[in-house]
Amino acid sequence: MSFNVVVHTPDVVGDRMAGPGIRAWHLATELAKHVPTRLIARSEGNAPTDLTLIEHGSAAAREALRDASVLVGQPARGFRKRRREQRIVYDLFDPAVLELRELYGSAPSMRQRIHLAAEWWRLAEALMRADLLICAARKQRELYERLQSSDAQWIEVPFGIDPAETGVCEKSKDNVVIWGGGIWEWLDPAGAVDGVVRVNELGLGAKLLFFGRSRPNRNLVDRRRDDRFGELLARGGPHVSANEEWIPYRERLSWLRAGKIAIMLHRRTAEADYSIRTRLFDAIAAGIPVVASAGGFAAELVERESLGVVVPPEDTGAAAEAIRRLLMDDDLYTTAVKNLERIRPQFAWEVVTRPLVRAIMQWQT
């Protein structure tokens, strides 16, 4: 079979997507401009792509994995070299082992301990077997290099944006704060709820909107998390609301532009230090200023480029003050919007994927 690439994700690619599915789709789209590329994913609804999309776990997926010249994907069950002459690229943008540690807490069940051990094993295998390794930020590479047992080369590919989707951010008439992602255990949605409530207690009307109660990947439904989400909404009273369904991918920027602030808060964890917060890039695309907890790629970028306000983790008062400042200080707000528009081109998917495209094209020759 002629030289070809397969991009693999166990996540959903369709009308509604989370970070891993979005990333896999865009990596495949950019690679397809240069070399025949197929995408393996779970499909739900209409996939936003002209790529050849193969259903995850199908016989066609197994055949595509076997016949590919280059495999690109996160460490996952079933994703490995099938032939000696294949090249494999492991994408380590998501520190899954650190997320699982927070997800399962201090007293994990036997099943959870087995799952976590399996993920550590997959990470170790990736760091040993890869022909090329991808990180999303330099700090991630520093973490993984301490565990690496091979001489595989590294490239840095952060998350990206689609320039065709971007537009000028018109100032919203309402003081709406947007929480654009999930409510995972390592995050701090309660801090956002309490911060908005406090802003209202100070006499400045504001509302917090969660993009959705459900998750785009139906395999990740957690009823306990749904119960906690219900408690959060009750805690916020009339100042907090959530869409019942996850926002369709193609509509997310319109929803963001209807708000004034994007908020992404986390707790003090190791995950926070090594994350990139994929929803930051939606805020860049929409041109909406950000309130972020200190620690990790997102906060460092927000602070360095003056894209909003960075606050200490788990500090409700600081979060409330950051929201108040962005709503009341027109100069601060306008500066942040201009800076978001200024840095936007450097995060276009076509730009951030260039190191990956170059590496794979070298193998083709």
Side-chain angles (χ1 to χ4, degrees):
M1 190 173 183
S2 60
F3 190 89
N4 72 98
V5 176
V6 164
V7 177
H8 172 277
T9 179
D11 211 51
V12 167
V13 172
D15 294 324
R16 294 171 169 84
M17 297 186 286
I22 295 168
R23 184 175 176 91
W25 165 43
H26 280 289
L27 294 185
T29 298
E30 295 305 324
L31 287 168
K33 296 175 182 179
H34 305 275
V35 63
T37 302
R38 291 167 290 175
L39 173 61
I40 294 174
R42 301 181 192 277
S43 61
E44 290 184 7
N46 298 315
T49 177
D50 295 327
L51 289 165
T52 300
L53 179 60
I54 303 172
E55 187 65 27
H56 181 272
S58 66
R62 291 191 292 272
E63 182 180 354
L65 289 168
R66 185 192 67 230
D67 293 341
S69 307
V70 180
L71 302 171
V72 181
Q74 291 181 263
R77 185 169 58 186
F79 183 67
R80 55 178 173 76
K81 279 188 181 182
R82 307 300 174 102
R83 296 180 289 110
R84 180 176 298 177
E85 61 269 25
Q86 280 182 324
R87 307 275 189 148
I88 191 161
V89 181
Y90 280 111
D91 184 6
L92 305 181
F93 88 101
D94 183 12
V97 291
L98 301 181
E99 293 175 348
L100 284 177
R101 190 169 70 176
E102 297 303 322
L103 184 65
Y104 292 154
S106 58
S109 67
M110 177 61 72
R111 184 177 179 179
Q112 290 170 338
R113 290 198 296 270
I114 292 171
H115 183 199
L116 184 54
E119 291 300 322
W120 273 109
W121 179 84
R122 291 188 184 104
L123 175 59
E125 283 286 296
L127 292 168
M128 180 170 57
R129 307 291 184 193
D131 294 289
L132 181 68
L133 291 160
I134 302 176
C135 61
R138 183 174 300 174
K139 194 168 185 178
Q140 286 186 345
R141 177 174 173 177
E142 293 171 358
L143 168 68
Y144 294 130
E145 280 185 328
R146 295 201 293 268
L147 308 170
Q148 188 176 356
S149 56
S150 73
D151 58 357
Q153 296 297 305
W154 286 88
I155 58 174
E156 188 175 318
V157 179
F159 219 71
I161 62 172
D162 183 353
E165 293 186 307
T166 62
V168 176
C169 179
E170 297 182 5
K171 191 169 182 179
S172 172
K173 296 179 181 179
D174 300 316
N175 294 336
V176 178
V177 181
I178 304 288
W179 181 283
I183 57 164
W184 301 104
E185 278 72 3
W186 51 90
L187 301 177
D188 184 23
V193 170
D194 293 343
V196 167
V197 169
R198 185 169 298 188
V199 166
N200 280 273
E201 290 172 348
L202 295 173
L204 180 60
K207 291 185 178 295
L208 175 65
L209 172 65
F210 288 93
F211 259 10
R213 296 182 63 127
S214 61
R215 294 291 295 158
N217 190 337
R218 293 173 185 170
N219 294 321
L220 297 178
V221 172
D222 185 334
R223 296 304 175 194
R224 292 171 302 174
R225 190 175 297 115
D226 287 347
D227 291 342
R228 291 196 297 271
F229 201 178
E231 293 170 3
L232 271 179
L233 295 178
R235 182 169 167 172
H239 310 304
V240 180
S241 61
N243 291 304
E244 195 65 30
E245 295 289 332
W246 194 258
I247 295 295
Y249 182 74
R250 290 300 192 190
E251 297 177 17
R252 73 200 190 287
L253 297 188
S254 296
W255 281 86
L256 268 170
R257 293 188 188 108
K260 282 189 176 178
I261 298 169
I263 191 164
M264 48 195 74
L265 304 180
H266 56 243
R267 299 188 299 106
R268 290 183 176 88
T269 67
E271 185 278 340
D273 291 334
Y274 297 101
S275 69
I276 60 166
R277 300 286 174 255
T278 58
R279 297 302 171 180
L280 167 67
F281 299 86
D282 285 346
I284 294 173
I288 179 171
V290 176
V291 174
S293 297
F297 177 92
E300 291 171 3
L301 186 66
V302 169
E303 189 163 48
R304 183 174 69 247
E305 302 293 345
S306 298
L307 309 180
V309 181
V310 174
V311 300
E314 302 178 77
D315 189 333
T316 299
E321 175 60 15
I323 293 168
R324 188 199 66 79
R325 286 181 61 200
L326 284 169
L327 293 179
M328 296 298 293
D329 189 334
D330 288 342
D331 289 339
L332 176 65
Y333 191 94
T334 300
T335 298
V337 171
K338 289 180 178 177
N339 287 332
L340 288 158
E341 294 170 351
R342 172 179 55 81
I343 70 164
R344 190 182 288 157
Q346 75 188 64
F347 290 108
W349 281 110
E350 184 177 17
V351 174
V352 300
T353 57
R354 283 174 184 168
L356 177 61
V357 171
R358 283 197 297 266
I360 290 178
M361 295 305 292
Q362 287 174 358
W363 289 335
Q364 185 181 26
T365 58

